[in-house]
Amino acid sequence: MKKTASITELYKLFIECKQKITTDTRKLEKGAIFFALKGDNFDANLFAKKAIEEGCSYAIVDNDQIADEKTILYVADVLVALQELSKYHRQQLKFPIIGITGSNAKTTNKELMFAVLSKKFNAYATQGNLNNHIGVPLTLLSLTHEHEIAIVEMGANHQGEIALLSELSDPDYGIITNIGRAHLEGFGGEEGIKKGKGELYKHIKNKNGKLFVNANDQVLMEMSNGITKICFGDNKAFDVYGKQFVNSEYVEFKWNTKGRELENQPLVKTHMFGQYNFMNLLCAVCVGSYFEVNETDINDALRNYIPEMNRSQVKKTANNKLILDAYNANPSSMNLAVQNFIKQPFEKKYFILGDMLELGEYSFEEHKKILDHLASEKIENVMLVGKLFYELKEHFPQFVFFETSEAAMQFIENQSLKNYTVLIKGSRGIKLEKLVGFL
């Protein structure tokens, strides 16, 4: 049996390798430590020697037959070692960490907060979608002593996951964006979601940390009872409050701190489509204000922020204007997007909606609710994409259904869709972004 490398030994190597970590055999970096993770269909232990040959300084494996105790080191479980290393590294860092989770808009909130905090601090935020049991450790291991504040996004689809990620990242501040109907299958219904996301609040309470809470959300206010919190919303009594001005399709608002008037405050005109983004923007204001970012800098950051990654993006093509929100979808976010789009005064509208995944036994009911709502509003020009929506085809003959984005693509190619504003909303797995080139 080979000797098991301790976390302190791994940390010395981590520092020696200038904090360079890789878990992907396609992205081997010279001088890095390669962590040989295993999955259902792969075992990276088998690539440890290749990693060394291609320039990695060390490889960490949990197959003692492969370890040589020189450059290929043995641990009982590579994933656990990666997680424990990230936890140990986080303990060495002295700057504040903000943990964020929620059913919808985690990434949007993270990006908005990062834009604001970067005006004053050397800030770091979770890159891309590195928000799970592997991504959070990689995020933490990317932090250096030069950073001054960090935002760590935490995603989950089962109870216990947020508790683990909170333990690893040990945030000083916590944000739950909302409790919506997402990952119903894994969490076991809405109460399960509440309990799972609430694991972040529990951690902050035990640490005597602070929360940033949307005070307009009664569920979050109840969940945060007994925990120190900074509140934002549409009431002058809150620590930060604001008011929307619906002058265009984009969110425009004014804000101020507790008890102060809005009248002489500047109007913040954003590039954010969807009135539901107001609270996301106000959350970023609240965080920036708490950390004493200059008011003008906060406003500039939010005015200049442009959505990316298929999240509430507005794209203009030669033929149409697209509202591209195809990064993710669940019943809560789908309802918000549909209702907001219905209210918009666009002359010609077209709805392209994709399946909402990971709903389990709630799937048929939740997809039907969306279509019932569209039917009750007498909405025309609706295209549904995905096998789950397709099951409802016979119930809604007024709509167009396709099982795949490829089939929808062929249909669109043969149509003459011009001068429409098109809402594109669905789960990432449906790949609705493929349709953009044909619109």
Side-chain angles (χ1 to χ4, degrees), residues 244 249-251 272-278 312 323 340 344:
Q244 277 199 82
E249 64 206 66
Y250 298 107
V251 181
M272 300 288 288
F273 177 85
Q275 304 310 314
Y276 47 84
N277 273 311
F278 171 52
S312 298
I323 313 299
N340 182 78
Q344 296 296 329

Side-chain angles (χ1 to χ4, degrees), residues 10 28 204 237 245 362 373 384-385:
L10 293 183
L28 296 173
I204 296 297
F245 293 83
Y362 304 91
H373 180 56
L384 291 315
V385 183

Side-chain angles (χ1 to χ4, degrees), residues 278-338:
F278 171 52
M279 281 301 166
N280 301 330
L281 289 154
L282 209 54
C283 179
V285 168
C286 186
V287 172
S289 179
Y290 176 82
F291 285 105
E292 299 181 345
V293 179
N294 180 280
E295 287 187 14
T296 301
D297 285 340
I298 291 174
N299 292 342
D300 286 346
L302 299 180
R303 285 191 185 106
N304 295 326
Y305 175 77
I306 297 175
E308 296 178 337
M309 298 284 290
N310 303 332
R311 294 183 180 91
S312 298
Q313 276 183 274
V314 179
K315 285 179 173 277
K316 291 184 180 177
T317 68
N319 297 319
N320 302 291
K321 179 159 73 173
L322 313 181
I323 313 299
L324 182 58
D325 197 3
Y327 185 81
N328 215 342
N330 56 55
S332 300
S333 65
M334 183 70 84
N335 271 305
L336 284 171
V338 166

Side-chain angles (χ1 to χ4, degrees), residues 222-425:
E222 288 169 15
M223 288 174 64
S224 61
N225 275 340
I227 311 174
T228 304
K229 53 183 173 280
I230 303 101
C231 294
F232 59 93
D234 62 5
N235 191 302
K236 195 188 291 188
F238 302 149
D239 297 286
V240 166
Y241 80 106
K243 178 184 177 183
Q244 277 199 82
F245 293 83
V246 187
N247 302 320
S248 76
E249 64 206 66
Y250 298 107
V251 181
E252 299 182 4
F253 71 105
K254 290 185 177 185
W255 68 272
N256 214 330
T257 49
K258 192 173 186 176
R260 294 164 63 191
E261 295 299 328
L262 286 175
E263 186 179 341
N264 296 320
Q265 289 296 95
L267 184 67
V268 183
K269 297 182 178 183
T270 76
H271 296 278
M272 300 288 288
F273 177 85
Q275 304 310 314
Y276 47 84
N277 273 311
F278 171 52
M279 281 301 166
N280 301 330
L281 289 154
L282 209 54
C283 179
V285 168
C286 186
V287 172
S289 179
Y290 176 82
F291 285 105
E292 299 181 345
V293 179
N294 180 280
E295 287 187 14
T296 301
D297 285 340
I298 291 174
N299 292 342
D300 286 346
L302 299 180
R303 285 191 185 106
N304 295 326
Y305 175 77
I306 297 175
E308 296 178 337
M309 298 284 290
N310 303 332
R311 294 183 180 91
S312 298
Q313 276 183 274
V314 179
K315 285 179 173 277
K316 291 184 180 177
T317 68
N319 297 319
N320 302 291
K321 179 159 73 173
L322 313 181
I323 313 299
L324 182 58
D325 197 3
Y327 185 81
N328 215 342
N330 56 55
S332 300
S333 65
M334 183 70 84
N335 271 305
L336 284 171
V338 166
Q339 287 173 22
N340 182 78
F341 195 57
I342 288 171
K343 291 176 185 175
Q344 296 296 329
F346 303 127
E347 190 176 340
K348 294 173 69 179
K349 299 178 189 176
Y350 204 102
F351 293 72
I352 300 179
L353 309 180
D355 283 353
M356 303 172 289
L357 305 179
E358 296 186 53
L359 299 181
E361 65 183 273
Y362 304 91
S363 183
F364 185 88
E365 169 195 348
E366 294 294 346
H367 283 82
K368 188 172 183 299
K369 279 182 187 175
I370 299 292
L371 300 193
D372 282 336
H373 180 56
L374 288 168
S376 70
E377 294 280 352
K378 296 182 170 51
I379 302 296
E380 298 178 350
N381 301 324
V382 177
M383 178 188 295
L384 291 315
V385 183
K387 292 181 178 178
L388 300 174
F389 270 130
Y390 197 82
E391 289 179 14
L392 293 159
K393 184 179 180 181
E394 303 305 319
H395 300 272
F396 298 91
Q398 69 271 46
F399 302 147
V400 181
F401 291 80
F402 297 98
E403 287 193 274
T404 65
S405 58
E406 287 76 16
M409 215 182 298
Q410 291 175 12
F411 174 81
I412 292 169
E413 203 171 5
N414 294 321
Q415 300 301 303
S416 181
L417 291 180
K418 288 188 177 179
N419 302 318
Y420 279 93
T421 302
V422 185
L423 172 66
I424 305 173
K425 175 73 177 173

